[in-house]
Every structure is written in structure tokens, then in C-alpha cells.
Amino acid sequence: MNRRQLLLASAASAAGVASGSLARLPGPVVSGDAGGLPMPRPTHALPPVLPESDPARVRLERGWQFHEGDVVAVAPANHEQTYLSVKAGNAQGAAAMAFDDSDWLPVRLPHDWAAAQPFVETANISQGYRPRGIGWYRRTLRLDPADRGKKIELQFDGIATNATIWVNGSVAAHSWSGYTGVVVDLTPFARFGDAENVIAVRVDAQAMEGWWYEGAGIYRHAWLVRRAAVAIASDGLHADPRRDGDGRWHVPVVATLTSVDHAPATVTVEAMLLDAVGHTIARAAVSAVVGALEDSVATLTLDVPSPDLWSIEQSKLYTLVARVRRDGAVVDERRVAIGFRTIRFDPAQGFFLNERHVKIKGVCLHQDHAGVGVAVPDALLRWRLERLKAMGCNAIRCSHGAPAPELLDLADRMGFVVMDENRQFNPAPDYLAQLEWLVRRDRNHPSVILWSVFNEEPMQATEAGVEMVRRMAHAVRALDDSRPVTAALNGSFFDPVTVANVVDVTGFNYYQNDYDRFHAMFPARAMTSSEDTSAYETRGAFSGDPARHIASSYDVEVTSWGDTHRSTWKKIADRAFVAGGFVWTGFDYHGEPTPYAWPTISSFFGILDLCGFPKTAFDIHRAHWVDDAPVVSLAPHWTWPGREGQPIVVFVMSNVEQVTLRLNGRVLGTQPVDRMMGNSWSVPYVAGRIEVVATRGGRTVASAVQETTGAPVALRLTPARSMMAGDGEDTQPVSVDAIDARGRHVPTANLPVRFAVSGAAIIGLGNGDPNCHEPEQSAADAGARSLFNGLAQAIVRADTGKGRIVIEARSPGLAPARITIDRLGIAAPAQVAVTAPQQRIAQWRRSMPFDARPSPDLAPRDGDNNSWAFVASGTATPGGDGGGGDGGRWRIYRTAIVPWRAFGAGGGRVHFASVVGRGELWVDGQRIATKADVAAAPIDARIAPGAGARQIVLILEADSHAASGIVGPVTLSAA
């Protein structure tokens, strides 16, 4: 081999190209390791699965059809069409049951259609220059006849932004917020057996609730819920542990029961508390009477002598099982994770959890991620929280709206406390309902410690604003009196009229220089920083360049209203009366491209970038927030060709006593650690090895190293995990970087990379560059993304079944990388079965009975909505006066239908599953089939090609006094 071949072979081995061995992948920068990624090593286990709290619900996420853009219904042309258009079940356009969606795009939920849009300079800057617009979703659904009599719901956890939902041609629900879940009572509209149900959702994503990227579409989970006729209402279970004055614990349980039954029912509600291993430690029961179509409330109490307490360090959870029994049988069950803990905000000493002082070390989070937009898979959400936990973060502010429910489920289990925030500041009924929904949904979570009713509202210092907050806080306390109410104020703290006077905890957005003044003037008021910092960093850049929209990563560039990460935390840490803070922000996010506009398309505020790759701020907060392990970091990287002899600022953060800096073995100096502001040296650049050693009591406890790397010769792939669940849902990020001939990460590489995958799909791509316009979504099995300052990311979703996932990455002139990930045979979550769309002929006009065979040309006059009945396929015409006998045996059934586009120019077939009566089938004035026997039987006939509406007429003769008619479904299919 020549030298280049040897280099490539060495790099390929280091990258795991030949075998895909994860064991050889260098890991994060640790003591003595200068070549690793600034990312964790792969773990070798699947993350725990979140338990199902409601066994009555099943995912409704497959089988959806999507259309981007609005579908404007054709205006009615005559009186009859107008008459019908305003009747129940007769929605027009894309909401109509018979609408042709055969050429719409099949999609799976969750789905954010804006994430696939190009960046367009004329699009809204705050939304990240991505067009959003309007979109439609449709799905056909079959319900088992056994579901008759049950309470049936559709649940959408989040639709961005406003939405109207139709069920079987009738408006069933509206949603006025992209952050609020939508519960649709499908029960009164439901059809069973062969009579299909059609769900249509119009999403208006032109409506904006925020000044950041909000995505577009049904972007959170969707569910079909089938409950017993008498059951606990959705979000109708409240179980928040309380400790009384003498230290004893009890769990008051309140179950709101709902009924769709036809008569009052007596039921028993029982509650059991299970410990972590499933042992029952408390039990109680109470009877309740629920009226037909009414609600009732059942209350009971569980006494728990000495429970394990939930905390940030030990997130001990119990499971409350609530059951409804009717006639002795269990007809409904819910399982809710609860935690025993006390919270208290003290005006002088800050936040106490279980009467132990805890400083809130928090971040503000928007909900999008590189490549997937706001449709963040559950596993990726967990990974994001793991990244925050790794830097010592213990708190999350949901900015600025209700989070995905899975975030709170994970916060409960991972040990975060949460400020749960309302989106719309408005006590009017439609908007107060959103706040009340938030509290009902989230009040059982031990992680939630604050209810925030608004963020930075201009009316916060007005009498009207005060009255609005009073009403909203009252609504919160009526549903949950165990947590304080706060609001994120951006000023007016000292005005005589201010909402700061009517909230329990005053939230400071910035104004960090007013902490002392506020505390001196209002020593009895608790306070926290609800938002702070707003410092700019571009990952991997150590010199600001405004012309290129690049910010320095030395923690020196800040907004006019904010401060550096270091100065901000020092002001909070030095003041016990400030409960803590929430950094703006944990991750970069699309939109709000401050301080730059086009071509910048995302923020610079994050401690981590859009992909979760760490900036210098990550190590700053590790030094500030990690108390139980030694921390030391070293910035910048040490690859600066052409800068030999020029001074470079070397920045060190640590939480120990002393740090010593060495360059190529030579000691450059020792300094006592400044844990808040960090330590720095000005070092003339010389290629080689620079190292910082951290000591405590004279003993080395940690070190960090940077080395000058050579030119990139190969790519390397590093997954978050060495295995994935073969459930069609499991998702993880895979990092790609370039390495030199010695297998070291090259932090300056900016190279094009192309990916290929088998056994999984790439669902998103990113690199953390706020100025990059490359597509974030590509074909299902391949994509391209450039390295940015050494890094890029592919997000992969596993296929189903046991097998292997193979991922490859290539870049011109470099050795490719290839890894293999085990795909385990894990069962997929249950999904509602997909119903293949068929054009149903559901609605007919039925004539009065005739004594003799009528002409097929006979039809009601325009505007005659009374003499011919409206009937549905599958509905028999009764005998006697209704079906024959003295009133005549002959009837006409007629309809007009425009065949779906899939019918095409080739024509197709019409199929009547079951018809009772002798008859003739006519289409467009031509008889195409006859039925000689009166007994139930199908009719199947070919329809010739033809454009526009087709007139279908069925003439039936019944036996005297016998039922007849179209007693089964009718479908139209392409030839």
C-alpha cells in the first residue's frame, strides 16, 4: 500500500468500517482521550418504555392521507344542494364522507409537514422562514359492532395550529391552540360494522401563537379510545398526595365519571396504590350513581404511612390504579404514576423540595429538533432530556405552551422539576378552557412544581391584566391548590398596578440587576428567574463574524436584555432568595433568528445546538451545576493551521480547586478555580497537545485534552445506542464526524456527507448550523447533510421485527463509515387497523312505493326535500306500509356520484354487498344489471368510462309485506 492507502485503512479501522464494531468507536473527551467525539459513548440497552396509563386507548397513527394546501368546497349550485349542505352529515369539500382523497399522500402520525418545507426568504422570519399554510388529513375507520353502546373518543395530543375536525360529515370539534390536546366525542356520530367512519381534519397553520417555529399538522400522538358506557372521563382522575400537619401522608382520589348509557347506573370506584414492585400498599372503594348522559364525582382517600419520597436524585414513583366496577365486573381502569413530595417557595431561602433546599438549575425548552421539526419521537425526546441531565440540569420550563405529555412522564422518571406554562393569556371561555385542560391533564405529575399563566404580556402592568390573572389563577386553584401560580414578567415589577401583586411566585424574565431591589421592597414575596441569559454561541466557532452571522463560543456575545451564562448564574447562585433560573435556552430552535435575519433560520441561544451537540455553554453549566463529580473542560479545539505564534484564548471551566495548563508537556501556569467565571490563558499557538489538569487537595481528579489533528481521511458513525427496538417506532440520533489518520475527531471539517440505511429509515438530518439551508428531510432510505464544524446528525427510525440496521456514510475522498445496530424483536405498540380507502356510495334518495314498475327516469324535483326519503346504504326498508302491501311493492333508489380519480378513464365496477328484492340497476340511463331473486344477494356490475357525475338508479320490487332495500354497503372501484 502507498501512504494514502495506509492512512485510509487505518482510519477505516478506527471508524469501524469493516465490522461496524461499536467497541472501537472513540468516545467523549475524557482524561487522556484527545480523539473522541464531544458526545456520549453508545449505550448498550434499550430505554425503558413508558407504561400505558389508559388501556382503553389505541394509537390511531397509520392509514392517514394528507393534502398540503386548502381544499375549497364548491359552492352549492341550486336550492337542493344548498339545503343539503347545511344538514348534519353533509359536510362539503374535503370534509365530505365521499370526498376523493385517492391521490393524497399517505402519511403516518405524528407528522409536521413544515419540517420538509424549503427555507423561503419571504416566509415569516419568526417561524424560521418555512411556509406553513393549510393542510388536510383524512382517515377511514371501522368500528366493531361490539363497540355499540361504548363511549368512543378520538384524542389528538397536539395539532399545529388551529383545527376543525369532522366525523362522518359533521363538525365534531374545533381546536384553537397548537399546544392543547383535542378530545372528540365520536359516540353520537359512530357507525359500526361495514358502515365506515370518515375522519377529516383541516389544519390552519397560518395561525400563529408564537414568535418561534411552531410546525404544522397533527404533530403529536393520536388515539382511538373505546370505553365502557360508564367510565372515568379522560383526564378525569386526580390523585395528588398530601401530607397533613403531623407528617402523615394520604392520597385524596377524585374520579369524574361519565355516562353514555340510557339509564342511571350504580357503580363502584376502587383505588389501589402499588409500590415499585407491584405490591398493593393501600386500597379503598366507594359507590356512585351516574345518571344517563351525565357526570358524577366519586371521592375516596388512601392512607400511606411512610412512603418513599420523590426527589430529583431519587425519582420514586408509585402507581395508582383506579377501577370502575359494574355488577361486579371491572369495566374501566386507569393507571397513574404519582410521587410523594412536598414543595415550598420561601421568600428568603428559595425553593424547597421535601423540606430540603434545592437550587433550580433549569432551561427553557421549545419543542423542535433538527430534522423532525415539532414531531419529535418519544425516544428522541428522552435522549434530549438525557443530554440536559448530563450537564446537571434539574428543571425545565415549557416555553411557552403545554408540552407533549411524554415530556412530563419522562420528567417524573428522570428527576426534573417543571414549570408548566399556559400559552394564551386570556380568561375568555375558549381560552380559559385551554388553561383548565392543562391543569387537569398535568396535575398528577410530581415533576410539576409551578403553573405559569403567561409569558411576557404587555398588559401585565394594567388593571385589566391584573383582573385577567386573578381569574386565571382562580381557575387553576379550583382544579389544583397544591402548586403555586406564577407568571413570567418582563418588567413592571415595581409598578403600583402589576400582576406581580396577585401571583404566588414572581417570575423574572431577565432584569437580573433588579433582584436585590425587589427583594428589599417585597421581602415576603417568593421569586425565581423564569427566563435568563440570552447569550449567543455558534457551536465550534471561537471568533464572532457578524458579516457571516457567526457568534463566538467564548460566552461573550449577549443580547441587550440578557447577560453571559457565567454572569447570569453567578447573580442567581449568590442570592438564596432567588429560587433558581431557567436559561434561554437548553437547545437551539428553529425560528426567532436573533440577532441576525436571513439567511439565518434558527436561534443561537441554545446551550446545545439544534442536534443536541454541545457548545461551550454546556461545559460552563456542567461546572456550575454538577456537584457530585469533578468537572473540567478545555476550549477551544487545538487545530489552527496558519495561526502559528498568534495568541489564542484558552478557556477552562471546572468545579474543583485548582487547574494547571500544559502545552506539549510544558506547564503554562496553575490557577485557583473560578467556578463561576472560569479560568483563561492567552497562549501563542503551537501545534501539538494542550491539556488541563484539575486537582483537589493536591490530587488529580479530572483532566481534559485537545490535540492538533491532521487532515480528515475517513468518516465515523456513532449511534446513541448499540441496539434498537424493532417496533417501527424506536428512534435515535446517529452522529457522523470526520477523523484523521490517527482516528481523532477533526473539529474543523466541513464536508458533504451522504447516508444510506437498511433495516431502518432516516427521518431527519441536521448539523447544528443556524445558517444552513440544506433539506432536513430526504428520501426514506437516504439523505445528504454537510458536516458543520466537524459534526452532523442522522435520525433513524427502526423497521419492525428482529434483524440488523446498517448505516453507511460517504464523502468524496474519504474512507466511508459503516456501522451495524442490532434490531431487537420487540412488539410494536398496538395500532388501530388501517382501513383501505374505498369509494362508498352511502347516501340515497328513496321514492314512495308504487303499484307498478316505475320508470328509471323518475326523480324528485329540485328543491323537493320531502317526498323522497334520505336513506343510507345498509338500511332496510320495512315491509307493510313502508315496504309494499297496500302501499305498493316497487321503489326507486337513486343517487349521483362523481367517481374517484383512481377510477380513471378505464371505468370500474359498482358492488352492492347485499340487496333484498328483485330489481334492475341503471347507470346514466343504461340498464347494466338485473336481480331476479327477491332474497338478499349482491349485485356487481361494470360501469363504462365517463367524466363527471354518474346517475345510479336501483329499481326494486319487494314481496308483499316483506322488508327490502340496500341492506349492505355499496362501493365503487377502479377496473
Side-chain angles (χ1 to χ4, degrees):
M1 292 184 180
N2 60 31
R3 184 175 184 275
R4 176 168 176 76
Q5 290 173 323
L6 286 169
L7 291 176
L8 289 173
S10 173
S13 177
V17 172
S19 66
S21 171
L22 297 174
R24 283 199 294 244
L25 291 175
V29 175
V30 293
S31 179
D33 185 354
L37 281 172
M39 294 295 287
R41 294 179 183 274
T43 60
H44 303 290
L46 295 179
V49 176
L50 291 173
E52 178 54 65
S53 61
D54 186 352
R57 68 179 191 171
V58 181
R59 295 191 190 205
L60 184 67
E61 298 178 350
R62 309 295 175 91
W64 289 86
Q65 303 289 108
F66 171 68
H67 173 79
E68 185 181 340
D70 204 1
V71 179
V72 180
V74 177
N78 53 43
H79 173 72
E80 181 179 14
Q81 292 177 8
T82 304
Y83 177 88
L84 293 176
S85 70
V86 296
K87 297 299 183 180
N90 279 286
Q92 304 297 293
M97 291 189 66
F99 180 80
D100 181 4
D101 60 10
S102 60
D103 59 352
W104 285 17
L105 179 70
V107 296
R108 60 183 286 178
L109 306 182
H111 178 241
D112 173 8
W113 86 72
Q117 299 295 317
F119 300 102
V120 179
E121 187 171 5
T122 55
N124 184 273
I125 177 176
S126 297
Q127 296 286 338
Y129 295 107
R130 275 196 162 129
R132 297 169 75 221
I134 293 172
W136 283 83
Y137 296 83
R138 285 174 57 91
R139 194 195 195 279
T140 302
L141 171 69
R142 280 201 180 121
L143 294 172
D144 194 306
D147 291 331
R148 280 193 174 92
K150 294 181 180 179
K151 175 70 175 291
I152 303 174
E153 292 178 347
L154 301 174
Q155 294 181 1
F156 298 96
D157 288 346
I159 305 175
T161 295
N162 292 349
T164 303
I165 301 162
W166 289 263
V167 174
N168 294 335
S170 292
V171 173
H174 293 285
S175 174
W176 307 117
S177 174
Y179 302 89
T180 303
V182 188
V183 177
V184 182
D185 185 1
L186 190 147
T187 316
F189 309 103
R191 304 171 184 221
F192 301 92
D194 289 330
E196 294 175 339
N197 299 270
V198 176
I199 305 162
V201 184
R202 181 184 186 269
V203 181
D204 179 4
Q206 294 178 123
M208 291 185 289
E209 295 179 86
W211 48 97
W212 59 88
Y213 176 82
E214 297 182 282
I218 307 175
Y219 73 98
R220 290 180 180 167
H221 289 304
W223 310 87
L224 176 68
V225 184
R226 290 167 285 202
R227 305 197 191 285
V230 178
I232 300 171
S234 295
D235 295 333
L237 187 63
H238 186 199
D240 189 11
R242 308 295 173 99
R243 188 180 65 176
D244 57 26
D246 60 5
R248 292 180 300 183
W249 284 93
H250 59 279
V251 184
V253 179
V254 180
T256 300
L257 303 171
T258 185
S259 171
V260 296
D261 218 336
H262 295 268
T266 300
V267 298
T268 299
V269 178
E270 61 183 24
M272 298 176 293
L273 191 66
L274 311 181
D275 63 16
V277 295
H279 294 151
T280 301
I281 61 173
R283 184 192 300 266
V286 66
S287 64
V289 177
V290 190
L293 296 177
E294 293 183 354
D295 293 343
S296 181
V297 174
T299 60
L300 43 83
T301 300
L302 301 176
D303 294 318
V304 186
S306 55
D308 293 330
L309 298 186
W310 183 94
S311 69
I312 290 168
E313 297 78 16
Q314 298 288 328
S315 49
K316 302 285 189 178
L317 292 174
Y318 291 77
T319 301
L320 179 89
V321 181
R323 290 175 177 156
V324 177
R325 289 186 180 271
R326 187 173 182 181
D327 299 328
V330 174
V331 296
D332 188 31
E333 179 179 296
R334 279 339 125 72
R335 291 176 170 261
V336 176
I338 63 173
F340 292 81
R341 52 81 177 128
T342 63
I343 58 173
R344 178 168 61 89
F345 283 83
D346 184 270
Q349 296 297 316
F351 176 61
F352 286 79
L353 179 63
N354 301 324
E355 294 305 319
R356 183 175 69 86
H357 180 261
V358 173
K359 202 72 169 181
I360 294 173
K361 304 168 181 176
V363 299
C364 299
L365 286 185
H366 282 316
Q367 57 181 353
D368 66 304
H369 189 90
V372 295
V374 295
V376 179
D378 296 350
L380 183 59
L381 179 57
R382 176 188 287 274
W383 181 85
R384 285 166 59 90
L385 295 180
E386 289 170 350
R387 301 295 291 128
L388 297 176
K389 202 73 174 177
M391 70 173 183
C393 174
N394 66 12
I396 296 163
R397 177 188 177 210
C398 305
S399 310
H400 303 288
E406 291 77 20
L407 183 141
L408 297 181
D409 291 336
L410 292 167
D412 291 343
R413 289 158 176 79
M414 298 175 70
F416 289 95
V417 292
V418 176
M419 178 191 290
D420 208 349
E421 191 155 277
N422 173 61
R423 174 74 293 267
Q424 297 285 356
F425 180 43
N426 192 332
D430 282 347
Y431 298 96
L432 195 63
Q434 296 176 17
L435 174 61
E436 291 170 338
W437 165 85
L438 171 72
V439 177
R440 281 196 305 271
R441 188 194 70 167
D442 296 346
R443 60 188 174 179
N444 295 321
H445 289 280
S447 57
V448 175
I449 61 167
L450 282 167
W451 301 115
S452 174
V453 295
F454 73 65
N455 171 72
E456 296 185 356
E457 288 292 336
M459 295 178 67
Q460 63 195 16
T462 67
E463 184 177 350
V466 170
E467 290 301 313
M468 291 164 72
V469 169
R470 285 185 61 229
R471 284 154 178 78
M472 296 174 76
H474 178 76
V476 170
R477 294 175 185 129
L479 293 168
D480 174 52
D481 62 358
S482 71
R483 298 170 177 87
V485 174
T486 188
L489 281 74
N490 59 330
S492 71
F493 302 101
F494 309 102
D495 293 4
V497 177
T498 171
V499 301
N501 297 332
V502 294
V503 295
D504 303 313
V505 176
T506 303
F508 270 68
N509 277 20
Y510 311 100
Y511 287 86
Q512 53 268 19
N513 294 324
D514 285 341
Y515 294 160
D516 292 334
R517 179 186 172 199
F518 184 86
H519 182 60
M521 291 182 66
F522 308 106
R525 292 186 185 174
M527 61 179 292
T528 189
S529 169
S530 44
E531 182 175 323
D532 54 60
T533 310
S534 275
Y536 306 127
E537 289 189 9
T538 299
R539 176 186 55 77
F542 292 90
S543 178
D545 188 345
R548 297 171 56 210
H549 295 196
I550 293 173
S552 167
S553 286
Y554 278 120
D555 191 32
V556 293
E557 297 189 31
V558 300
T559 61
S560 59
W561 58 86
D563 208 339
T564 64
H565 292 272
R566 294 167 293 162
S567 295
T568 296
W569 183 248
K570 179 173 173 54
K571 292 172 182 175
I572 294 171
D574 288 348
R575 291 162 173 80
F577 57 84
V578 180
F582 294 90
V583 177
W584 191 263
T585 51
F587 291 78
D588 279 343
Y589 53 94
H590 294 91
E592 197 175 16
T594 312
Y596 304 115
W598 184 266
T600 302
I601 46 82
S602 70
S603 74
F604 294 82
F605 295 120
I607 297 171
L608 301 110
D609 69 15
L610 277 166
C611 297
F613 296 135
K615 305 181 187 180
T616 305
F618 183 85
D619 288 322
I620 290 173
H621 288 286
R622 278 205 310 135
H624 287 166
W625 291 350
V626 174
D627 295 320
D628 58 355
V631 170
V632 68
S633 65
L634 177 64
H637 60 77
W638 206 242
T639 301
W640 300 97
R643 292 193 58 181
E644 287 75 10
Q646 296 179 23
I648 291 179
V649 174
V650 175
F651 178 61
V652 172
M653 287 297 303
S654 184
N655 65 354
V656 295
E657 294 175 358
Q658 285 190 327
V659 286
T660 299
L661 189 68
R662 299 190 181 109
L663 176 61
N664 294 329
R666 180 170 61 89
V667 174
L668 301 182
T670 298
Q671 298 180 13
V673 165
D674 185 340
R675 185 177 182 181
M676 290 296 163
M677 303 306 291
N679 298 79
S680 63
W681 285 261
S682 179
V683 180
Y685 176 64
V686 176
R689 176 186 176 93
I690 192 165
E691 179 180 17
V692 62
V693 175
T695 58
R696 180 184 290 139
R699 185 172 64 88
T700 298
V701 292
S703 65
V705 176
Q706 301 281 2
E707 286 187 354
T708 306
T709 63
V713 299
L715 295 177
R716 171 173 54 185
L717 289 165
T718 306
R721 287 182 270 120
S722 65
M723 60 185 65
M724 297 183 72
D727 60 359
E729 300 285 339
D730 191 15
T731 304
Q732 70 160 320
V734 176
S735 301
V736 59
D737 71 325
I739 56 176
D740 69 4
R742 292 171 55 187
R744 298 175 299 186
H745 168 67
V746 180
T748 57
N750 292 280
L751 303 168
V753 177
R754 186 157 190 86
F755 300 91
V757 62
S758 62
I762 294 176
I763 62 171
L765 300 160
N767 61 15
D769 180 1
N771 303 308
C772 183
H773 290 195
E774 295 173 7
E776 295 190 34
Q777 294 185 3
S778 299
D781 61 348
R785 191 71 173 183
S786 298
L787 299 181
F788 173 65
N789 290 341
L791 294 169
Q793 182 181 83
I795 300 167
V796 297
R797 181 176 60 213
D799 292 346
T800 56
K802 184 178 180 180
R804 298 194 311 165
I805 298 168
V806 178
I807 306 172
E808 296 182 343
R810 295 180 177 273
S811 184
L814 273 62
R818 183 177 185 271
I819 58 168
T820 299
I821 298 170
D822 290 332
R823 195 179 68 227
L824 306 184
I826 306 296
Q831 293 272 357
V832 176
V834 174
T835 301
Q838 283 185 311
Q839 186 171 12
R840 295 268 174 165
I841 305 176
Q843 300 297 325
W844 299 83
R845 299 297 303 274
R846 185 185 68 196
S847 74
M848 66 294 292
F850 299 99
D851 290 327
R853 175 190 175 280
S855 167
D857 297 329
L858 194 62
R861 292 183 179 181
D862 177 35
D864 178 356
N865 298 297
N866 303 96
S867 61
W868 288 54
F870 295 89
V871 296
S873 298
T875 304
T877 299
D881 290 341
D886 295 338
R889 300 194 309 271
W890 294 88
R891 287 184 185 268
I892 296 177
Y893 298 78
R894 68 178 306 131
T895 191
I897 187 168
V898 177
W900 283 358
R901 288 176 288 275
F903 197 88
R909 304 194 72 82
V910 62
H911 179 75
F912 293 74
S914 183
V915 173
V916 176
R918 289 176 287 272
E920 305 169 4
L921 177 62
W922 294 69
V923 174
D924 298 336
Q926 300 292 319
R927 187 173 64 187
I928 62 171
T930 59
K931 180 174 181 286
D933 192 347
V934 74
I939 299 176
D940 187 88
R942 175 173 171 75
I943 298 180
R950 314 302 293 272
Q951 301 293 324
I952 302 178
V953 176
L954 182 65
I955 304 173
L956 285 183
E957 180 189 15
D959 279 349
S960 181
H961 298 287
S964 62
I966 304 170
V967 298
V970 184
T971 58
L972 193 66
S973 60

